[in-house]
Amino acid sequence: MQGATTHGYHVATTSKPGHPKMGGDPDTATEMPIFHSLFVSLVALLPVHARVTTKTSTNPLDGATQAIEEAMDQFKVPGMSIAVVDGSDLYTKGFGYATLPNIPATEDTLWEGGSSTKAFTAAALAQMMDSNKYSSLAEGWQTTIVSILPDDFELNHPWATEHLTLQDAATHRTGMPRHDLTWIAGPDTQTPESLVRNFRNLPLSIEPRVALQYCNLMYLTLTHVIQTLTRKWYGDVLREVILEPLGMNSTYFDRNHALASGHRMATGYFWDQDEKKFQSRPRPNVRFYGGAGATISSVKDYAKWIKCLITQGKPFSPNVHNQIRTAAIVGAAEPPLGADSYGYALGWEKMSFHGTTLYRHAGTTSVFGAGVYWLPDIDYGVVMFGNTGNAANFAEYVIVWKLMEDKLGIPEDQRYPTTKPLTDILNQGAEALKHPKEILYPNMTGPVEPPSVDVRAFEGLYQNKGYGDLRLRLEPASPKTGNESLLIGHRDGFRYHINFGHASQDYWTAIPVWEESDSMLGLYAAEFILSNGKPSGMMLHLSPPGSPIDEGTIQFDKVQ
């Protein structure tokens, strides 16, 4: 249905409060961030065919309703909002529920945007450079980070400290791995400044500028840069530079601001496999995620954002738009889903999709998922938000690929079969939970040998300068622990714990669990170190065998 013209669009909007059927059981790995990278590596198989696009005056979401509801049902997502930008037309629709049992998702519902925030951060910094108001940015993206943050930015790699640039940080080519356990789900007292100052205690895993290695911490570094140069809070800068010029009046970077706005915010959920129902989780303030993931917004607001990017409109100059679109590093030997090339630009993955340039970025928090896609060659874009974590991301992939392939007129027999590879990833995740030893120690054969000392000797306080304190305690065997004794690692003030399961001898599996959603944050091999017959430390290997990039090993010393 055509509607009134708003902000340069012809707007058609509907809201569908009905919930998709809840048949079938999802795998327990629906929200496992570690398997998101497996998804990226499985998506290089789609043949490339340029297509003539089709334009319709009807809402494309109406024709995709069945596919959307099926994806929500399969991946267990209670609610989603979707916006499609097609030339001068904007189509929006809500599916399912923003809050169970009866508050529908709409175009105005607010959701957490996760890492889709990164594109705002990079664009704001590009706009600051283009303004010529900051002498410290005279070298543009080649400005070294240390020149702006001389007291805070220090790595354990002297050359990297002196030479890494803003572009290196924005395009994930610093050599710094994720190190997410140092800060994610941590106390709200953390600041970009305190996190950046901790870099000197965190090892690089590869040489700088060798490969793309996604690192949230580097976007917190850019947050620190923006706040240092402007002497303003990051959210105020983005409101001044991007949100107000675009009329994005329902976008926030602080949960308290969003709740006070009068706009209805979705509730976050995860699917409880044991109870066979959605469980809601209270959400902490996302403010301290800063430029790495603090956005809260609606699809209607995000549509204004991607419309600006597609049309290369104001408030950005042609120079800034060119910077936003330019990839600075090749992302993977095997490009992501539906791509024949892949690189990382300023907060955007850039790829070729059926011969058409596609920019995209996902966003994931513990109980929210976001996806933003735009194809400037055909004046087309899609924004989606959902109220589960990676489960929403997986549903979004299936839905967005259908919408984009519908737009491009791709024949059914030439489309990428998204559902099967994503289901395979979920199955791999379920297997990882059930059999972590087989994944982490594939060459470990023969009978399981007991630890060198009584398992109770491993209890105590372990420390690492970069990762802080980790206190291990023994939880006796019970149905909850799979009838095996587990060592549980806790960090004061952090909303995750690490389950240590015995593999053989002094080798263990380590699974960090996000307490808000009961989802995995990773899958690590752990090895306890003994001195004079007593545990003296523990090695945590940050990448499973066969990972494209080895993120290295962290050593904890036992101090109590």
Side-chain angles (χ1 to χ4, degrees), residues 58-77:
T58 60
N59 191 336
L61 298 173
D62 291 337
T65 294
Q66 181 178 347
I68 293 168
E69 292 182 346
E70 288 175 353
M72 292 173 65
D73 176 45
Q74 177 175 358
F75 297 107
K76 292 295 179 275
V77 184

Side-chain angles (χ1 to χ4, degrees), residues 30-347:
T30 314
E31 295 176 332
M32 296 184 181
I34 189 172
F35 297 102
H36 182 72
S37 60
L38 294 175
F39 165 75
V40 172
S41 67
L42 284 173
V43 276
L45 305 178
L46 185 62
V48 178
H49 302 278
R51 298 294 176 200
V52 177
T53 64
T54 57
K55 185 72 178 287
T56 175
S57 60
T58 60
N59 191 336
L61 298 173
D62 291 337
T65 294
Q66 181 178 347
I68 293 168
E69 292 182 346
E70 288 175 353
M72 292 173 65
D73 176 45
Q74 177 175 358
F75 297 107
K76 292 295 179 275
V77 184
M80 299 186 79
S81 293
I82 307 174
V84 174
V85 174
D86 191 356
S88 61
D89 293 327
L90 170 64
Y91 304 98
T92 64
K93 194 168 185 177
F95 295 84
Y97 297 98
T99 299
L100 295 169
N102 57 9
I103 298 177
T106 73
E107 64 173 7
D108 295 311
T109 301
L110 299 183
W111 316 77
E112 292 181 10
S115 286
S116 67
T117 306
K118 291 179 171 66
F120 289 113
T121 306
L125 200 48
Q127 187 78 328
M128 290 168 61
M129 295 172 186
D130 199 56
S131 72
N132 295 317
K133 294 179 181 179
Y134 302 93
S135 59
S136 297
L137 296 176
E139 298 299 318
W141 288 103
Q142 301 314 308
T143 302
T144 60
I145 301 170
V146 73
S147 69
I148 299 173
L149 308 175
D151 297 327
D152 296 339
F153 188 78
E154 179 183 343
L155 306 177
N156 66 357
H157 188 301
W159 186 94
T161 299
E162 294 300 319
H163 293 89
L164 285 180
T165 65
L166 298 175
Q167 186 178 52
D168 295 325
T171 57
H172 302 297
R173 63 182 196 186
T174 63
M176 176 81 79
R178 298 180 73 106
H179 287 308
D180 280 342
L181 292 186
T182 64
W183 72 282
I184 202 166
D188 291 348
T189 54
Q190 295 181 123
T191 65
E193 293 90 336
S194 66
L195 294 172
V196 171
R197 290 186 193 117
N198 191 41
F199 288 179
R200 63 202 67 191
N201 301 314
L202 302 177
L204 302 189
S205 58
I206 56 175
E207 289 295 311
R209 300 174 186 166
V210 170
L212 189 154
Q213 190 169 218
Y214 196 89
C215 182
N216 287 305
L217 285 168
M218 284 300 159
Y219 268 80
L220 286 162
T221 304
L222 298 181
T223 305
H224 188 10
V225 166
I226 289 172
Q227 294 183 160
T228 297
L229 292 175
T230 62
R231 299 183 181 181
K232 298 177 182 178
W233 174 53
Y234 164 85
D236 289 336
V237 175
L238 263 66
R239 186 161 303 282
E240 176 184 329
V241 172
I242 299 176
L243 303 187
E244 289 181 352
L246 290 179
M248 296 177 65
N249 299 319
S250 59
T251 299
Y252 306 92
F253 303 97
D254 184 304
R255 185 175 179 83
N256 294 329
H257 296 170
L259 293 174
S261 69
H263 296 99
R264 187 178 296 278
M265 186 165 180
T267 301
Y269 296 92
F270 76 97
W271 177 259
D272 188 322
Q273 176 68 10
D274 295 329
E275 298 292 330
K276 302 295 189 293
K277 66 179 182 179
F278 288 106
Q279 301 281 11
S280 64
R281 281 294 182 264
R283 291 292 295 133
N285 200 338
V286 296
R287 178 180 176 127
F288 88 96
Y289 291 151
T295 306
I296 296 172
S297 190
S298 67
V299 295
K300 193 161 75 171
D301 250 23
Y302 259 55
K304 300 171 185 177
W305 167 230
I306 61 171
K307 178 69 174 180
C308 166
L309 298 173
I310 290 170
T311 62
Q312 300 190 68
K314 293 181 178 180
F316 305 122
S317 69
N319 179 49
V320 169
H321 279 289
N322 182 62
Q323 292 176 36
I324 290 171
R325 294 183 177 204
T326 301
I329 190 167
V330 174
E334 293 188 356
L337 183 56
D340 67 339
S341 63
Y342 172 68
Y344 201 91
L346 295 182

Side-chain angles (χ1 to χ4, degrees), residues 462-533:
Y462 294 74
Q463 290 182 337
N464 175 275
K465 284 187 176 180
Y467 278 66
D469 292 353
L470 181 67
R471 185 172 293 277
L472 269 60
R473 62 172 176 80
L474 182 65
E475 184 166 324
S478 68
K480 179 182 177 182
T481 66
N483 292 317
E484 295 183 1
S485 296
L486 283 180
L487 284 169
I488 310 293
H490 292 274
R491 294 189 65 196
D492 288 344
F494 282 76
R495 302 182 307 280
Y496 70 80
H497 61 270
I498 304 178
N499 294 334
F500 289 84
H502 184 239
S504 187
Q505 298 179 334
D506 297 324
Y507 297 95
W508 294 65
T509 63
I511 301 178
V513 178
W514 205 332
E515 294 170 356
E516 291 158 15
S517 60
D518 230 15
S519 59
M520 287 174 57
L521 284 169
L523 180 63
Y524 307 135
E527 177 185 356
F528 285 94
I529 304 167
L530 274 68
S531 300
N532 299 320

